[in-house]
């Protein structure tokens, strides 16, 4: 085969010593096809000038044939070979190229990552190896880079003007490449705000991302943001998890999936406040982690890489590229004035491009703003100056730009939906003009939501500067109050029990959290804040995040009292929601006085027949039922039902809830037939207004099945429980407490029918769910332990039954008291276990301690 004019060789084979045999094989194959090949092993003279030989070979060979191994791009000489050859390619007009043959399990990174490669790993057939080598030589597209199957999260867009920082990217590559695929390794990219940490990490993703099974970016400012990010990742793995109510469980599913991955996953935690903030979100294995943070001391938890201002030559190059003009001297002066701070350079370059100013002209304007920079602002004076120039430029283009930026300053920085800037605040056309003006000077950027709906993102320091500007104008509290009202009105009010509302709440959660944080900082307590916190609390309560929900509900109570007064109806509503949560957390003694006070206040202000007053009666009655104060519970529920029928009608969802609750109270009093009629009415009403698969209706179906079991209609109960399990899995997910309860209830029916082998795994799965969801020492978890212990006694495993029942008795007595029927039930199973072990005296003493007259009622 003839050589191209001007080249002595077609290929220079570049390799490390670990693949000398492969180099000989490649040379033989290529030369067998008539190519002239230069190979270090044969063509460099022993004892000669090695560096000169490499120099000559690089110049005289048309193409570089890289034998890629894990150590290839770590060696100084092979690095020089391929990096210099890429420089030659740029000047060859497309005549020369790099060919890559993968010789071990490593994947080409960095510059080599952009090349198509052949792969002989695991290929033993000589003819097939020969075919692959020739295909690589010809440039046939054998293997593209393996792109991640999952890529995204809150990933910012690639910065087309990114310049420099190659040493940081190379260090990240080296740290990760040295780690095993299954090893957890974390790298924290640290530095002050405005240093470009996020941009550097985004560039690292471009360089190394395709080597991973997946890449996921999480905003780490808040714990809920991290939970939501990992829940979204879990949904990418399994779309069926989208309807799962328990975000915490979905998050854990994502971590478990990463830990099982054969190839490592790359996780990015952006803007981490402290090392402890991400501890619970780190998988045990199978991940490489990149962190951006202002926190500088990671105390050995991970590798630290500091990001400072750009080196001056990189700052000059970036500024010229961003501004779209060549003026090295002017760029140098301006870069020095800006302290080579990447964020300041970026905004200056954007301003210069749009305003068509020279570097010197911008520098002269900069001087007056530098002297006015806020003293205590969380950013350097140079950033304050560049922001001020950019803001004033945007305002000159559109007067509404300042108002829009002021509102954006109080939301989370990423993906702000446009309906947080509603048309009653600003017309759609004016909003579009303002956004265009802000984008033109890089103060904001378009960043669509996962749903593809338009949204905006901006840098946190831009927000800080905008808030400082509002504070100087005396308008910060006014704008924040308006932002809180807008967000509150957009948040659904039915997220506690309506899965269809959850995606919208997820979109608005981070922005609501930011508003709450700023309100605390400014010591503001407005009506909009009370509504916002209450609705977020309901969302978190419904998804099982009790601790976070309590924080929001308590803020809602505080904000409502400050805004409306201690005798306000708004406060009563907020207190009601807090009390309902405390009841779910088995903290009934805290909840009862709150509900009684709320009811008293509503009765005084509205009268006892008001729908709001009836809702509080319903909550109090359900609490009293749990405390075995059944007489008062029944009286309140009957009053609330009568009021609801007069005001709303018997088929109204609120009335259906009361019918269901009254049925359960009556069932506990053995008034089974009356309870069944009420339950069937509640189910019919719910089906008519909400559908059979609505969570509330599914709960009523579960209650009816339990009642049928009490009546001995086991076959009918079993059929209904199986439907409940199916519907619960569809609407709530298989990790929700209600799903666990349905499993337990079916287990009870099967145990009654002596189908022990089928019942036992249902109990154990249900207990495992509740251990995670509500904790080991929750009364509901203990109730399921007690039910399992009954089965264990029946199947002759008295020792295990005794341990399990004693655990249940300990929890019930501590949480519910000795007189509660669940406590007595647990004690009875302990006694049954002792009797089975021939410890009859102990069994009799235990029964005597807990027994009360009439304890023959079935209470599973």
């Amino acid at each position: 085969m003839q050589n191209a004019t001007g080249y002595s060789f077609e290929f220079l084979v570049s390799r490390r010593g670990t693949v000398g045999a492969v180099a000989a094989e490649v040379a033989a194959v290529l030369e067998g096809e008539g190519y002239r090949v230069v190979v270090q092993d044969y063509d460099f003279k022993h004892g000669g000038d090695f560096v000169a030989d490499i120099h000559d070979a690089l110049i005289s060979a048309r193409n570089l044939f890289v034998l890629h191994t894990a150590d290839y791009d770590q060696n100084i000489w092979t690095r020089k070979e391929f990096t210099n050859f890429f420089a030659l390619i740029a000047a060859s007009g497309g005549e020369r190229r790099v060919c890559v043959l993968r010789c071990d399990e490593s994947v080409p990174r960095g510059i080599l990552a952009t090349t198509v490669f052949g792969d002989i790993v695991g290929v033993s057939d000589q003819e097939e190896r020969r075919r692959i080598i020739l295909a690589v030589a010809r440039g046939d597209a054998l293997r593209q880079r393996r792109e991640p199957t999952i890529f995204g999260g809150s990933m910012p867009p690639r910065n087309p003007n990114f310049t420099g920082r190659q040493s940081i990217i190379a260090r990240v590559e080296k740290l990760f490449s040295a780690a095993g695929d299954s090893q957890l390794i974390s790298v924290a990219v640290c530095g002050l705000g405005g240093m470009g940490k996020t941009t550097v990490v985004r560039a690292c993703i471009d360089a190394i991302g395709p080597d991973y099974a997946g890449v996921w970016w999480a905003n780490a400012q808040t714990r809920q943001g991290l939970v939501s990010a990992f829940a979204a990742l879990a949904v990418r793995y399994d779309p069926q998890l989208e309807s799962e109510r328990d975000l915490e469980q979905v998050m854990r599913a994502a971590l478990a999936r990463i830990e099982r991955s054969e190839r490592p996953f790359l996780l990015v935690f952006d803007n981490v406040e402290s090392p402890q903030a991400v501890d619970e979100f780190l998988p045990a294995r199978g991940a490489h982690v990149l962190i951006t943070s202002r926190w500088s001391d990671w105390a050995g938890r991970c590798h630290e890489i500091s990001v400072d201002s750009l080196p001056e030559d990189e700052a000059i190059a970036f500024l010229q590229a961003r501004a779209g003009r060549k003026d090295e001297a002017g760029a140098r002066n301006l870069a020095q004035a800006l302290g080579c701070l990447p964020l300041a350079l970026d905004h200056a370059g954007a301003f210069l491009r749009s305003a068509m100013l020279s570097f010197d002209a911008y520098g002269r304007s900069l001087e007056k703003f530098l002297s006015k920079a806020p003293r205590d602002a969380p950013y350097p004076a140079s950033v304050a100056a560049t922001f001020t120039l950019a803001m004033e430029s945007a305002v000159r283009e559109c007067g509404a730009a300042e108002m829009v930026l002021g509102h954006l300053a109080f939301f989370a920085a990423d993906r702000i939906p446009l309906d947080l800037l509603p048309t009653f605040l600003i017309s759609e056309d004016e909003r579009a003009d303002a956004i265009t003006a802000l984008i033109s000077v890089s103060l904001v950027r378009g960043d669509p939501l996962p749903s593809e709906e338009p949204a905006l993102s901006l840098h946190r320091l831009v927000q800080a500067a905008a808030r400082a500007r509002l504070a100087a104008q005396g308008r910060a509290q006014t704008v924040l109050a308006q932002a809180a009202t807008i967000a509150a009105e957009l948040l659904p009010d039915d997220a506690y029990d309506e899965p269809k509302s959850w995606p919208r709440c997820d979109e608005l959660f981070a922005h609501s959290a930011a508003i709450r944080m700023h309100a605390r900082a400014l010591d503001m307590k407005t009506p909009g804040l009370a509504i916002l916190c209450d609705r977020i609390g309901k969302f978190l309560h419904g998804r099982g995040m009790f601790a976070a929900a309590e924080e929001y509900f308590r803020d809602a109570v505080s904000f409502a009292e400050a805004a409306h007064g201690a005798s306000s109806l708004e406060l009563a509503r907020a207190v009601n929601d807090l009390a309902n949560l405390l009841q779910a957390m088995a903290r009934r003694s805290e909840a009862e006085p709150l509900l009684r006070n709320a009811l008293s206040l509503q009765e005084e202000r509205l009268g006892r027949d008001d729908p709001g007053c009836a809702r509080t009666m319903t909550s109090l009655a359900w609490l009293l039922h749990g405390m075995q104060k059944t007489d008062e519970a029944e009286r309140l529920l009957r009053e609330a039902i009568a009021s609801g029928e007069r005001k709303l009608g018997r088929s109204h969802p609120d009335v259906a809830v009361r019918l269901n609750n009254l049925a359960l109270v009556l069932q506990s009093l053995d008034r089974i037939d009356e309870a069944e009629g009420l339950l069937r009415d509640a189910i019919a009403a719910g089906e008519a207004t909400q559908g059979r698969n609505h969570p509330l209706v599914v709960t009523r179906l579960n209650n009816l099945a339990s009642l049928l079991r009490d009546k001995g209609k086991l076959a009918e109960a079993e059929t209904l429980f199986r439907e409940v399990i199916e519907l619960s899995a569809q609407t709530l997910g298989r990790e929700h407490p209600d799903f666990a309860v349905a499993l337990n209830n079916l287990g009870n029916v099967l145990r009654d029918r002596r189908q022990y082998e089928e019942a036992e795994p249902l109990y154990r799965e249900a207990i495992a769910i509740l251990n995670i969801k509500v904790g080991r020492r929750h009364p509901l978890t203990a109730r399921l332990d007690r039910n399992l212990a009954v089965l264990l006694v029946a199947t002759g495993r008295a020792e295990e039954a005794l341990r399990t029942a004693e655990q249940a008795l300990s929890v019930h007595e501590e949480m519910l008291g000795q007189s509660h029927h669940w406590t007595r039930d647990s004690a009875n199973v302990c006694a049954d276990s002792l009797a089975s072990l021939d410890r009859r005296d102990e069994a009799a003493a235990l029964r005597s301690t807990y027994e009360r007259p009439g304890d023959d009622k079935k209470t599973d």
Side-chain angles (χ1 to χ4, degrees), residues 480-633:
L480 175 55
Q482 199 167 35
T485 300
I486 292 168
E489 290 176 354
L490 292 177
L491 280 165
D493 192 30
D494 58 357
Y496 168 68
D497 56 15
E498 181 49 78
K500 293 177 183 178
S501 296
W502 298 340
R504 182 57 165 158
C505 291
D506 276 330
E507 284 182 354
L508 295 173
F509 177 83
H511 306 298
S512 302
I515 289 170
R516 172 178 174 244
M517 176 189 70
H518 293 308
R520 284 177 161 186
L522 294 176
D523 196 26
M524 280 183 58
K525 296 181 179 179
T526 67
L529 288 166
I531 296 171
L532 180 146
C533 288
D534 184 68
R535 291 185 177 179
I536 289 293
K538 289 177 183 177
F539 166 60
L540 295 171
H541 183 182
R543 301 217 67 172
M545 303 178 71
F546 292 168
E550 182 177 356
E551 290 184 15
Y552 276 88
F553 280 141
R554 290 199 180 278
D555 272 0
V557 169
S558 175
F559 290 149
E561 184 172 6
H564 300 288
S567 60
S568 66
L569 297 174
E570 291 82 3
L571 176 60
R573 283 192 286 268
V575 166
N576 188 353
D577 292 333
L578 172 61
N580 287 336
L581 174 73
L582 294 172
Q583 179 179 353
M585 299 170 75
R587 291 159 60 184
R588 294 186 176 96
S589 61
E590 294 179 59
E592 183 180 3
L594 293 177
L595 285 173
R596 290 194 184 279
N597 288 340
L599 180 59
S600 174
L601 191 154
Q602 288 174 312
E603 184 178 0
E604 179 183 340
R605 294 285 304 277
L606 300 172
R608 200 155 174 99
D609 205 34
D610 181 79
C613 196
R615 280 191 289 273
T616 304
M617 281 185 208
T618 304
S619 298
L620 177 58
W622 188 242
L623 175 72
L624 294 171
H625 169 60
M627 300 173 73
Q628 294 186 286
K629 299 178 181 180
T630 51
D631 290 343
E632 186 179 2

Side-chain angles (χ1 to χ4, degrees), residues 3 22 45 270 503 513 532 649 681 694 781 836:
N3 295 314
V22 178
K45 295 178 181 179
D270 192 26
L532 180 146
D681 285 352
H694 190 278
T781 310
S836 296

